[in-house]
Amino acid sequence: LIAYTIGGIMAVGALFAALNTMYSAVSARANEIATLRALGFGSGAVVASVRIGRGPTPLAISPDGSTVYAASVGTLFAIRTATNTVATKAKIDPYATGIAVTRDGKRVLVISAQSSSLAVLSAPDLGQTSRIGLPQAGLYPGGYSRVRVTNDGHTAWLANDALFITSVDLDAGTSSRMLLDMRPNDVVPSLDGRTVYVLGCKQFCTTGTIEAI
């Protein structure tokens, strides 16, 4: 019994030591992990690596394919695909959960985990930033993710895990929410903008549900 007890203690100690070693190895290479990689699909080889800082989150590409937008903690980077270099960057709220580019390529929309507003940046220079206030679920801001833009570039849709989606009029700078009977994970407008498809979970999330609104 004593031998089993000692053996168990040693096994647990070895496990924690291994986890600590793995954590240290990953932490030491944090900057390398936070790298945007452009892949050449022909051979599968990495043709470029662009450093964008710590904690990379979402990506979006301009409709003409000339610029990739990448968010890290508190910063949005614009990367030129022709040269695979950072062209410019701008401050954003930390922990971005969604990026979208309007069809004309002139605006980039960014939402973050604790944002109370949608950031609208001029593209591709990221030189100007405006904000559109968003409906909030309660005292604490946030809960938004998955920003999508209609084909005509006039309306953005966002999902909020507090049982609603939000429509944003990008021209008027206004927003309104639509209550749901489920917790939305994603939202996608149809090509003509007349229908919005919402993916989410109802009670206990035993099965996913898509609703057309």
Side-chain angles (χ1 to χ4, degrees):
L1 180 61
I2 296 176
Y4 283 116
T5 302
I6 295 175
I9 294 172
M10 292 178 65
V12 171
L15 174 62
F16 278 104
L19 289 174
N20 185 60
T21 301
M22 291 175 63
Y23 175 82
S24 299
V26 172
S27 179
R29 303 191 67 179
N31 285 335
E32 295 176 39
I33 294 172
T35 297
L36 173 67
R37 292 187 171 181
L39 297 177
F41 290 100
S43 62
V46 176
V47 298
S49 292
V50 184
R51 292 182 182 274
I52 62 162
R54 298 174 66 91
T57 41
L59 279 175
I61 192 167
S62 60
D64 64 2
S66 65
T67 309
V68 169
Y69 299 96
S72 66
V73 177
T75 306
L76 180 67
F77 294 83
I79 296 106
R80 295 292 187 193
T81 56
T83 57
N84 291 317
T85 56
V86 175
T88 188
K89 59 184 178 180
K91 292 284 187 182
I92 57 172
D93 291 339
Y95 311 114
T97 55
I99 302 177
V101 186
T102 55
R103 191 172 180 82
D104 60 8
K106 295 182 178 180
R107 291 182 287 188
V108 182
L109 315 179
V110 183
I111 189 66
S112 298
Q114 297 179 339
S115 293
S116 60
S117 59
L118 177 67
V120 183
L121 297 91
S122 59
D125 62 292
L126 306 183
Q128 297 180 346
T129 304
S130 60
R131 289 187 172 272
I132 301 174
L134 299 173
Q136 300 299 313
L139 295 176
Y140 301 101
Y144 280 101
S145 63
R146 303 297 197 275
V147 56
R148 309 289 187 182
V149 188
T150 54
N151 239 13
D152 60 15
H154 297 309
T155 306
W157 288 92
L158 299 93
N160 191 294
D161 61 12
L163 306 181
F164 66 89
I165 57 175
T166 293
S167 170
V168 180
D169 187 324
L170 297 174
D171 300 322
T174 58
S175 63
S176 60
R177 72 177 178 178
M178 184 182 300
L179 296 175
L180 304 173
D181 61 350
M182 66 177 181
R183 188 179 304 277
N185 293 329
D186 206 348
V187 56
V188 178
S190 61
L191 292 179
D192 61 10
R194 296 180 179 178
T195 305
V196 177
Y197 297 92
V198 184
L199 170 67
C201 287
K202 298 201 176 186
Q203 248 183 345
F204 305 115
C205 204
T206 52
T207 56
T209 303
I210 297 177
E211 292 184 349
I213 301 172

